[in-house]
Amino acid sequence: MSDKKHTTLAKQRNLFCCQTKVIETQFLNFSDMNKKHATLFKTLLALFALNSITLYLYFSSSHHHHDNRRDTTAEGFPAIIPHRGPHLSKPWPIIPSYLPWSLTSNVPSKSCEAYFGNGFTKSADVLPAKAAVRSGSSWFRCHYSWTLRSSICEGGKIRMDPGKIKMSRGGEKLEDVIGRTEDEEMPEFEDGAFEVEAEGRGSRSKIKKLVGEEFLNEFLPVGNVMKHTIRELVRSIVVVGETDFTCQEWVEEPTLLITRFEYANLFHTVTDWYSAYVSSRVTGLPNRPHLVFVDGHCETQIEETWKALFSSLRYAKNFSGPVCFRHAVLSPLGYETALFKGLSEDIDCQGASAHDLWQSPDDKKTARLSEFGEMIRDAFGFPVNRHHSDKTVSGHYNILFVRREDYLAHPRHRGKVESRLSNEQEVFDSLQKWASDHQECKVNLVNGLFAHMSMKEQVRAIQDASVIIGAHGAGLTHIVSATPNTVILEIISSFFRRPHFQLIAQWKGLEYHAINLDGSYANPGVVIDRFNKIMRSLRC
């Protein structure tokens, strides 16, 4: 427990003692009261004492419960993870939907917490931390999830040699790398691309891998991922002796190593964000970690959110030479998250409030996506305690229509997006006319041209909306940041009938409606009729 929390609890104890002494003094001054009044006063004193003790125990247990995470500061692993000032890393925000991320082994497999929270209950200490504390060498372990069939691996004193990672530099301007192939951007690791130091190891003459194929198959199975870059990264780790473990640069703060695939697609990027967030919580990081992209992708608009969510961002190839991390965490691929796996397997979870789950835990309910959405809103400086009632001041409703626009997404993109709603403008114009003619309440239809908006502006539009309408497309993934009681209306072409956004709405506990088309043309009258029913349900 931190010094600040110790001080808080000490103040609570002192306050309780002082209050009790005052009442006892007052009781003595009333010693001449009649017996009936004295008995009543004793009863009141007992009730007050009981209430004070209950409050003290509540706050004490609350502090301990929220601190129930593994210590990754210098106190937890002395000489391995020195903890520098908080100004170097962003603190975790206080958000309403947060629930503790304790590392326990009693999370039921296939439960909602196992899918969305801390189901990484099987751990393997490849290089034990206790031995590392004694010798000052490296430590390494993996936490495996039976439910997701993936691992979060972490280690201390990890060396990365960018010269042994074959890929493009990464982080360039899009217009400077037009035509570059995807293979050039994905990493290929030579043996020794990553190294750890072990006590008693000799020279590099005989290479020793940190783990073998049996370990990789057990903790980092390939699954349905065609190129499992995190598995290949761990395969490349070799063990060296103290004299061979040299670094040009040290990164003292906890750092996530991340490989992205479909980095320009918002849905797949959100799966990467979520994986990074879960990895940070499962490994008990005291502050928001720093990021290193172990890929060679160019810069995109989406990086704005990466930088807002976490403490800093660098590309692996941007380091001038070998770099050592005091604490590195390998974040699983976005393909291995429940957000992606839900497209092919049944994840029967319903969104619920953190308050309700705190009072009555339920393996079929989750507040984790709400927690994550609040994390995104807070990262951009938006309030995280806003509800539907805050957005309907004086009968005013914001209706967000998410548009699909042509834009250049990545070096292999031609700048044209595939239409999911062939008469999108006609539908928008019909909604605009309905809004201008509607008299029962004031409706503001927002033209969600997300391709021409910053990520912060996009999140603001989502959080301010009472109803979000859009054709099936990656832009709707933003509903992960929607506030409670937001209503979703998805218009789905028969050519793109997949449950991405229905599932996100379900896992967040949002009201969801769909209009399934025969083709890609939507009858404006049908859209207006469904929308009108939604607005009537909102008393508009």
Side-chain angles (χ1 to χ4, degrees), residues 447-503:
N447 194 7
L449 299 169
F450 279 3
H452 295 84
M453 298 165 64
S454 69
M455 296 302 289
K456 182 174 183 177
E457 290 171 333
Q458 294 176 39
V459 174
R460 187 198 305 274
I462 290 290
Q463 76 149 14
D464 288 344
S466 297
V467 181
I468 299 172
I469 306 172
H472 182 88
L476 282 181
T477 316
H478 271 306
I479 67 174
V480 76
S481 300
T483 58
N485 300 317
T486 302
V487 182
I488 313 301
L489 175 58
E490 182 181 6
I491 304 172
I492 307 174
S493 162
S494 59
F495 307 120
F496 300 96
R497 199 157 286 171
R498 300 195 73 193
H500 298 67
F501 313 114
Q502 178 184 358
L503 289 172

Side-chain angles (χ1 to χ4, degrees), residues 259-312:
T259 299
R260 304 162 298 157
F261 280 78
E262 300 177 61
Y263 67 103
N265 177 285
L266 182 62
F267 173 79
H268 290 286
T269 298
V270 169
T271 68
D272 288 330
W273 291 343
Y274 193 68
S275 181
Y277 177 69
V278 171
S279 299
S280 305
R281 292 301 199 180
V282 167
T283 52
L285 301 186
N287 294 295
R288 287 188 263 174
H290 299 259
L291 305 180
V292 171
F293 285 160
V294 188
D295 59 52
H297 299 311
C298 67
E299 198 176 55
T300 70
Q301 175 192 24
I302 293 175
E303 277 188 25
E304 180 187 352
T305 307
W306 279 109
K307 293 174 181 177
L309 280 170
F310 299 97
S311 290
S312 72

Side-chain angles (χ1 to χ4, degrees), residues 368-384:
R368 292 300 184 194
L369 282 194
S370 294
E371 174 184 332
F372 178 57
E374 289 168 1
M375 180 72 196
I376 295 173
R377 300 210 310 274
D378 182 272
F380 284 118
F382 297 132
V384 293

Side-chain angles (χ1 to χ4, degrees), residues 385-414:
N385 57 353
R386 293 185 59 180
H387 292 267
H388 178 68
S389 57
D390 301 315
K391 297 183 286 186
T392 56
V393 179
S394 303
H396 186 116
Y397 293 82
N398 280 332
I399 310 303
L400 174 62
F401 191 90
V402 179
R403 307 292 295 270
R404 285 182 61 81
E405 307 170 80
D406 290 339
Y407 69 101
L408 194 61
H410 54 77
R412 297 159 294 285
H413 196 244
R414 297 182 178 181

Side-chain angles (χ1 to χ4, degrees), residues 149-189:
R149 302 177 297 283
S150 68
S151 289
I152 297 170
C153 297
E154 59 175 330
K157 206 172 182 181
I158 307 292
R159 181 182 188 269
M160 178 181 75
D161 186 350
K164 293 186 177 182
I165 306 175
K166 183 183 177 182
M167 63 185 179
S168 49
R169 180 175 175 81
E172 308 94 341
K173 298 295 182 184
L174 173 58
E175 54 270 22
D176 294 338
V177 293
I178 295 297
R180 186 167 66 189
T181 66
E182 186 174 9
D183 285 343
E184 293 177 82
E185 297 179 347
M186 298 309 298
E188 292 183 9
F189 303 101

Side-chain angles (χ1 to χ4, degrees), residues 3-21:
D3 292 341
K4 184 177 180 182
K5 290 177 180 176
H6 276 302
T7 302
T8 301
L9 292 176
K11 288 180 178 179
Q12 291 168 350
R13 286 193 293 266
N14 291 337
L15 178 61
F16 164 65
C17 293
C18 291
Q19 288 173 330
T20 304
K21 287 178 180 179

